[in-house]
Amino acid sequence: MHQTPLIEMAGVSKSFPGVKALSNIDLNIYPGQVHVLLGENGAGKSTLIKIISGVYSRDAGSIQLRGQEVNFKNTRESLAAGISVIHQELSVIPDLTVAENIFLGREPKIGKSGFVDRKKMNNDAGRLLENIGVKISPKAVIRRLSNADKQMVEIARAVSQNSFLVIMDEPTSSLSEHEVEALFKVIEKLRQENVAIIYISHRLKEIARIGDTVTILRDGQLVKTVSLREIDESHMIALMVGREITQFYYKSEIPPADELVLEIKNYTRKGVFENVSFALRRGEILGVAGLIGAGRTEVMRAIFGADRVDSGECVLNGQTVCFTEPQQAINAGIGLIPEDRRNQGLLLSKSVKENTSLASLFQNSNFGLINFKWESKIAEDFIQMLRTKTPSASTPIKNLSGGNQQKVVIAKWLAAKSRILIMDEPTRGIDVNAKAEIYGLMKRFVEEGGSIIMVSSELPEILGVSDRILVMREGKVSGIIDNQGATEKDILQLASISGC
């Protein structure tokens, strides 16, 4: 181990109204090492990296960078000092190109003219993307890229800044296996160049593969810092949650009914998906698997009325329906938990209470006036039911951790009495304990007669909770298999061959 830390944190604490986010944290980060931060949502990981990068100021304690005390007032100061951050929530600018995003604020100029040298910028961006194994045009507009490609642009931007410390917050949450491998090569290259990396992830297998040291946080306190060679998965989980988790995946013990609640017949949207057909039974969890770009999210948005289809039929409870806007689907008892919860599932400036009531506000209003008593009660009920960690129902949703924000999105549709839930990557960026709670919630929902379509890129999750699995490839259904006896290999084979 390197004897001199790049960063030394001693006694760092941070509080927000009603919440002690960090309490007396000591942490050393060494050059050329991958230091993993592990903990449940709300454990303090994001607060810690925001203090290091100048987003928040600490209430107590000290931070030394190469032996010198630092107190960054903003991210510009931390970046100038050699610290770059890849955030879990994408921070790219949609209407700029890939190259413009990578070199934002650092654009190459033509001589002393002050004009941007676009040719050099595009060439430099192209070389950078090629070096990290990404095939994206530097001239592509960010808005037109997939979430996975946007994430790779964020990674390219961080690498381009030649920082001494790169902080990666859930960098693989939107990536395919191929892109994860490309990222790991980038990490290994940075490690060889003596760059320090702080890595946050809930995927324990990838942590064990690339990490050197792990620091486990719980409820804002440091539980343990240990070499990853000296700790196994089950021990890490126990330290994270404070107890052994005896059951992780939950599956209903009541078999789905024969009754069909939803039939999709030959759904087609030109250039996006083609002839997609499947049925959903009462009490069933239908998993939807496939590689990134297979069209899974696009089909779900079309069912919900968020996007139009060119042809096909949707049959809901025996009746042919045609949803041209989401409100029609909501009125019919369908809820969508979107892949991008922050931009599509929540009103970040509003409270937990207001977000919970959002989809059922009008049905419970009095002559067009909000029923505040009902709104407060329903929010408190779901906070208790889902064990949402929040100071109160009036707390702005943006102040909650990612996992607790996701619980509020789910509560919104339960409050609206949805009978069909479309859950697109429902546990992305969520810790193991919150995942187990959400799986338990899904089990109760289908046992009470609800039905779920769950899109997921995590094959253990698909196999762990689904009754049947629909696999997509390149916009087509390549197969539907019963989960009984199915393996990851079965799914990957269907995801990687020509559609049926």
Side-chain angles (χ1 to χ4, degrees), residues 240-252:
M240 279 171 62
V241 302
R243 67 183 192 283
E244 296 287 344
I245 292 183
T246 55
Q247 186 171 7
F248 188 53
Y249 296 113
Y250 292 83
K251 191 173 286 187
S252 173

Side-chain angles (χ1 to χ4, degrees), residues 231-278:
I231 190 168
D232 59 21
E233 273 190 32
S234 60
H235 192 192
M236 283 192 283
I237 292 171
L239 290 174
M240 279 171 62
V241 302
R243 67 183 192 283
E244 296 287 344
I245 292 183
T246 55
Q247 186 171 7
F248 188 53
Y249 296 113
Y250 292 83
K251 191 173 286 187
S252 173
E253 295 168 11
I254 304 172
D258 292 331
E259 177 190 356
L260 299 181
V261 294
L262 181 71
E263 295 174 84
I264 300 299
K265 301 179 179 180
N266 299 313
Y267 251 33
T268 299
R269 188 178 179 203
K270 290 176 183 174
V272 182
F273 52 83
E274 182 182 352
N275 291 331
V276 173
S277 299
F278 64 87

Side-chain angles (χ1 to χ4, degrees), residues 300-314:
M300 299 307 128
R301 285 176 55 83
I303 293 170
F304 190 62
D307 295 328
R308 299 288 183 97
V309 291
D310 296 315
S311 60
E313 183 182 4
C314 176

Side-chain angles (χ1 to χ4, degrees), residues 108-402:
K109 301 295 196 299
I110 300 174
K112 296 181 180 178
S113 68
F115 292 107
V116 174
D117 189 339
R118 294 195 172 276
K119 183 177 180 181
K120 182 178 186 333
M121 184 170 69
N122 287 331
N123 287 340
D124 288 351
R127 277 195 297 274
L128 184 66
L129 291 164
E130 187 177 340
N131 285 343
I132 65 173
V134 179
K135 295 178 181 178
I136 308 172
S137 168
K139 299 178 183 179
V141 176
I142 289 288
R143 187 179 295 281
R144 300 193 184 120
L145 300 181
S146 67
N147 275 350
D149 284 342
K150 291 174 187 173
Q151 183 76 67
M152 294 307 285
V153 173
E154 290 252 31
I155 292 164
R157 180 168 63 190
V159 171
S160 75
Q161 290 159 345
N162 297 318
S163 299
F164 305 116
L165 170 65
V166 178
I167 300 171
M168 301 184 175
D169 189 358
E170 295 283 355
T172 62
S173 63
S174 300
L175 304 185
S176 67
E177 286 190 27
H178 169 74
E179 290 157 333
V180 169
E181 289 301 320
L183 172 63
F184 288 173
K185 287 178 183 175
V186 172
I187 290 173
E188 186 53 41
K189 185 179 178 185
L190 292 172
R191 183 194 260 141
Q192 290 172 3
E193 293 170 358
N194 220 27
V195 173
I197 295 169
I198 296 177
Y199 193 92
I200 297 176
S201 178
H202 294 301
R203 298 181 175 181
L204 300 182
K205 283 185 171 56
E206 71 183 29
I207 285 170
R209 179 176 165 188
I210 64 162
D212 297 299
T213 304
V214 60
T215 290
I216 299 168
L217 300 173
R218 185 170 72 239
D219 297 329
Q221 297 188 343
L222 193 151
V223 178
K224 190 169 190 173
T225 295
V226 63
S227 166
L228 273 158
R229 292 190 297 272
E230 298 171 10
I231 190 168
D232 59 21
E233 273 190 32
S234 60
H235 192 192
M236 283 192 283
I237 292 171
L239 290 174
M240 279 171 62
V241 302
R243 67 183 192 283
E244 296 287 344
I245 292 183
T246 55
Q247 186 171 7
F248 188 53
Y249 296 113
Y250 292 83
K251 191 173 286 187
S252 173
E253 295 168 11
I254 304 172
D258 292 331
E259 177 190 356
L260 299 181
V261 294
L262 181 71
E263 295 174 84
I264 300 299
K265 301 179 179 180
N266 299 313
Y267 251 33
T268 299
R269 188 178 179 203
K270 290 176 183 174
V272 182
F273 52 83
E274 182 182 352
N275 291 331
V276 173
S277 299
F278 64 87
L280 178 69
R281 297 174 292 179
R282 185 173 302 284
E284 179 180 39
I285 298 178
L286 176 68
V288 181
L291 303 178
I292 288 174
R296 299 167 301 165
T297 292
E298 290 78 5
V299 171
M300 299 307 128
R301 285 176 55 83
I303 293 170
F304 190 62
D307 295 328
R308 299 288 183 97
V309 291
D310 296 315
S311 60
E313 183 182 4
C314 176
V315 180
L316 180 67
N317 297 318
Q319 300 292 316
T320 299
V321 294
C322 181
F323 300 136
T324 55
E325 58 182 38
Q327 189 59 53
Q328 294 170 332
I330 295 168
N331 293 342
I334 299 175
L336 171 66
I337 295 163
E339 179 183 22
D340 184 352
R341 61 174 169 263
R342 286 178 68 86
N343 291 319
Q344 297 174 3
L346 297 165
L347 296 177
L348 292 176
S349 62
K350 299 296 183 182
S351 68
V352 171
K353 175 173 58 179
E354 290 166 314
N355 274 278
T356 302
S357 66
L358 198 58
S360 49
L361 202 58
F362 291 112
Q363 296 93 313
N364 293 279
S365 62
N366 297 323
F367 305 105
L369 299 175
I370 295 173
N371 184 341
F372 292 109
K373 186 176 179 182
W374 165 83
E375 186 181 49
S376 294
K377 184 179 187 309
I378 203 79
E380 291 292 349
D381 286 349
F382 281 110
I383 287 171
Q384 296 298 319
M385 182 191 302
L386 305 186
R387 300 178 194 171
T388 307
K389 290 182 181 176
T390 177
S392 77
S394 300
T395 300
I397 196 82
K398 64 185 178 185
N399 291 352
L400 271 59
S401 67

Side-chain angles (χ1 to χ4, degrees), residues 250-253 285 439-447:
Y250 292 83
K251 191 173 286 187
S252 173
E253 295 168 11
I285 298 178
Y439 299 145
L441 173 68
M442 293 166 67
K443 173 179 180 287
R444 290 197 302 274
F445 182 77
V446 296
E447 284 179 345

